[in-house]
Amino acid sequence: MTEFLGTEDTILFPSCMDANAGVFEAILTKDDVIISDRLVHASLVDGIRLCSAMHDTYKHSDMDHLEQKLQMFQDKGLRLVVTDGVFSMDGDAAKLDKMVELCEKYNAMLLVDDSHATGFIGKTGRGTHEKYGVMGKIDIITTTFGKALGGATGGCVSGRKEIVEMCRQRARPYLFSNTIAPVIIAGVLKVLEILSATTERRDKLEKNTEYWRKGLTEAGFILKEGDTPIVPIMLYNAKLAQDFSKALYDEGFYAIGFFFPVVPQGQARIRTQISAAHEIHHLDRALEAFTKVGKKFDILHKTKQEIIGKYGM
Ligand SMILES: Cc1ncc(COP(=O)(O)O)c(C=O)c1O
């Protein structure tokens, strides 16, 4: 993992949830502050709760707001900025180039959970730090082996060697729980070998994603902006999201609705995820089904206000 991510060292955990549960308490004290994006993954929220450092947030991807918070906390011992690399519900990427710049300017550390990026984001699939040209500049990367790396479970903290060493001595899920199963490691090592030998799969995924986003947009759906394989279709109303999902299922497609409390109130959606295993004819068939269901609920080529006007928030 260290070589793949371009970091100094790595420590393994049974899951990324465990990595996130262990890392904050291992490296921070009550004299420090964590400043996190408001949309970070639940496992980061829980890890932050488990440590004694002060916690504050900045508006999603709002770099001016992050800068204000960094200025505000210059009196703290350590400042740790926390973000997802690719946000799990919205599919947009954190502005890591700008974040690295701000962290350098205000003497802060940066932690990126790259679970939704490791293996396929960036030209050779190393992650969001590769996409933004800041490999080697992220203090801490946490990630899962359970998504693109195919392990179904497993995770790690990778980054500066002193930080990894502190996790080895102090991260409770590492010290007080069984480690990751050897069979998972064997699988992940093989996947890393395959991903390092060729970018064929991530290139195909990128093309599929472009095709899917373009097809849905032309069909008249409202998407969350972004260029990652997480493609959310905005429906705003929770019941509509569930009914839409059920109608898609009847058409042969399993795409679940997300609604409060998984996403903020009034932001219900269908989250679609594209895979390198999809072929164009799969995507065409899916576009047909999504369009049919979109027509049935009369939400195509409508504005957000029109959809909310018809279905409520
Ligand atoms: C951003 C992010 N971090 C952490 C996790 C947890 O990963 P794991 O399943 O390895 O515990 C997930 C899983 O959904 C995730 O999306």
Side-chain angles (χ1 to χ4, degrees), residues 192-254:
L192 291 178
E193 193 186 305
I194 295 168
L195 292 178
S196 303
T198 165
T199 60
E200 201 181 307
R201 285 177 181 77
R202 59 89 44 216
D203 295 347
K204 184 170 170 205
L205 177 58
E206 194 169 69
K207 285 207 175 68
N208 281 350
T209 300
E210 274 170 28
Y211 189 82
W212 181 241
R213 280 186 181 271
K214 185 163 174 281
L216 286 177
T217 306
E218 283 171 4
F221 289 101
I222 301 177
L223 308 183
K224 277 270 176 196
E225 256 179 58
D227 59 1
T228 77
I230 296 176
V231 186
I233 299 173
M234 298 308 291
L235 297 171
Y236 309 105
N237 176 283
K239 182 164 186 317
L240 173 62
Q242 289 166 82
D243 292 344
F244 204 96
S245 170
K246 167 81 178 54
L248 284 172
Y249 192 70
D250 293 340
E251 292 294 322
F253 289 90
Y254 183 57

Side-chain angles (χ1 to χ4, degrees), residues 69-113:
K69 294 289 166 100
L70 283 165
Q71 283 165 351
M72 203 166 115
F73 291 117
Q74 282 302 294
D75 61 329
K76 289 285 176 188
L78 289 171
R79 285 155 293 284
L80 177 62
V81 176
V82 175
T83 185
D84 288 16
V86 170
F87 288 86
S88 40
M89 292 300 138
D90 286 27
D92 56 331
K95 298 163 185 150
L96 288 191
D97 47 352
K98 183 69 187 161
M99 294 183 80
V100 164
E101 206 180 296
L102 285 176
C103 286
E104 281 173 359
K105 182 168 173 193
Y106 292 100
N107 190 23
M109 296 194 298
L110 179 56
L111 180 148
V112 179
D113 179 335

Side-chain angles (χ1 to χ4, degrees), residues 18-296:
D18 279 320
N20 289 340
V23 63
F24 298 102
E25 198 197 11
I27 62 169
L28 299 176
T29 70
K30 64 176 177 30
D31 300 325
D32 306 323
V33 64
I34 296 167
I35 310 170
S36 66
D37 188 289
R38 287 194 183 155
L39 291 190
V40 293
H41 189 258
S43 57
L44 290 168
V45 174
D46 286 359
I48 291 168
R49 283 180 184 150
L50 287 170
C51 91
S52 57
M54 187 188 163
H55 179 215
D56 201 351
T57 60
Y58 60 94
K59 289 180 215 156
H60 177 54
S61 267
D62 183 332
M63 295 295 105
D64 292 337
H65 199 213
L66 171 59
E67 182 159 18
Q68 279 171 30
K69 294 289 166 100
L70 283 165
Q71 283 165 351
M72 203 166 115
F73 291 117
Q74 282 302 294
D75 61 329
K76 289 285 176 188
L78 289 171
R79 285 155 293 284
L80 177 62
V81 176
V82 175
T83 185
D84 288 16
V86 170
F87 288 86
S88 40
M89 292 300 138
D90 286 27
D92 56 331
K95 298 163 185 150
L96 288 191
D97 47 352
K98 183 69 187 161
M99 294 183 80
V100 164
E101 206 180 296
L102 285 176
C103 286
E104 281 173 359
K105 182 168 173 193
Y106 292 100
N107 190 23
M109 296 194 298
L110 179 56
L111 180 148
V112 179
D113 179 335
D114 230 9
S115 293
H116 282 290
T118 303
F120 58 95
I121 296 286
K123 275 288 160 235
T124 63
R126 308 297 155 133
T128 318
H129 57 329
E130 184 183 29
K131 177 181 169 80
Y132 284 102
V134 288
M135 282 185 81
K137 295 194 170 177
I138 310 293
D139 301 284
I140 311 166
I141 295 172
T142 65
T143 193
T144 184
F145 302 158
K147 299 188 195 288
L149 302 190
T153 179
C156 68
V157 171
S158 194
R160 307 249 173 260
K161 58 182 184 314
E162 296 82 1
I163 291 172
V164 171
E165 187 53 30
M166 281 178 89
C167 288
R168 216 164 262 136
Q169 302 302 328
R170 300 178 53 172
R172 294 170 73 83
Y174 179 81
L175 292 176
F176 298 112
S177 180
N178 275 311
T179 189
I180 182 170
V183 65
I184 301 293
I185 297 302
V188 170
L189 286 174
K190 188 68 198 170
V191 171
L192 291 178
E193 193 186 305
I194 295 168
L195 292 178
S196 303
T198 165
T199 60
E200 201 181 307
R201 285 177 181 77
R202 59 89 44 216
D203 295 347
K204 184 170 170 205
L205 177 58
E206 194 169 69
K207 285 207 175 68
N208 281 350
T209 300
E210 274 170 28
Y211 189 82
W212 181 241
R213 280 186 181 271
K214 185 163 174 281
L216 286 177
T217 306
E218 283 171 4
F221 289 101
I222 301 177
L223 308 183
K224 277 270 176 196
E225 256 179 58
D227 59 1
T228 77
I230 296 176
V231 186
I233 299 173
M234 298 308 291
L235 297 171
Y236 309 105
N237 176 283
K239 182 164 186 317
L240 173 62
Q242 289 166 82
D243 292 344
F244 204 96
S245 170
K246 167 81 178 54
L248 284 172
Y249 192 70
D250 293 340
E251 292 294 322
F253 289 90
Y254 183 57
I256 53 173
F258 284 73
F259 39 90
F260 183 79
V262 174
V263 294
Q265 205 111 36
Q267 293 275 314
R269 65 197 69 179
I270 295 279
R271 188 183 73 169
T272 61
Q273 288 122 249
I274 297 309
S275 153
H278 288 137
E279 301 299 340
I280 293 298
H281 65 90
H282 297 137
L283 299 179
D284 282 340
R285 169 74 191 88
L287 283 172
E288 227 175 82
F290 274 69
T291 305
K292 183 171 168 192
V293 174
K295 276 189 189 143
K296 176 177 166 184

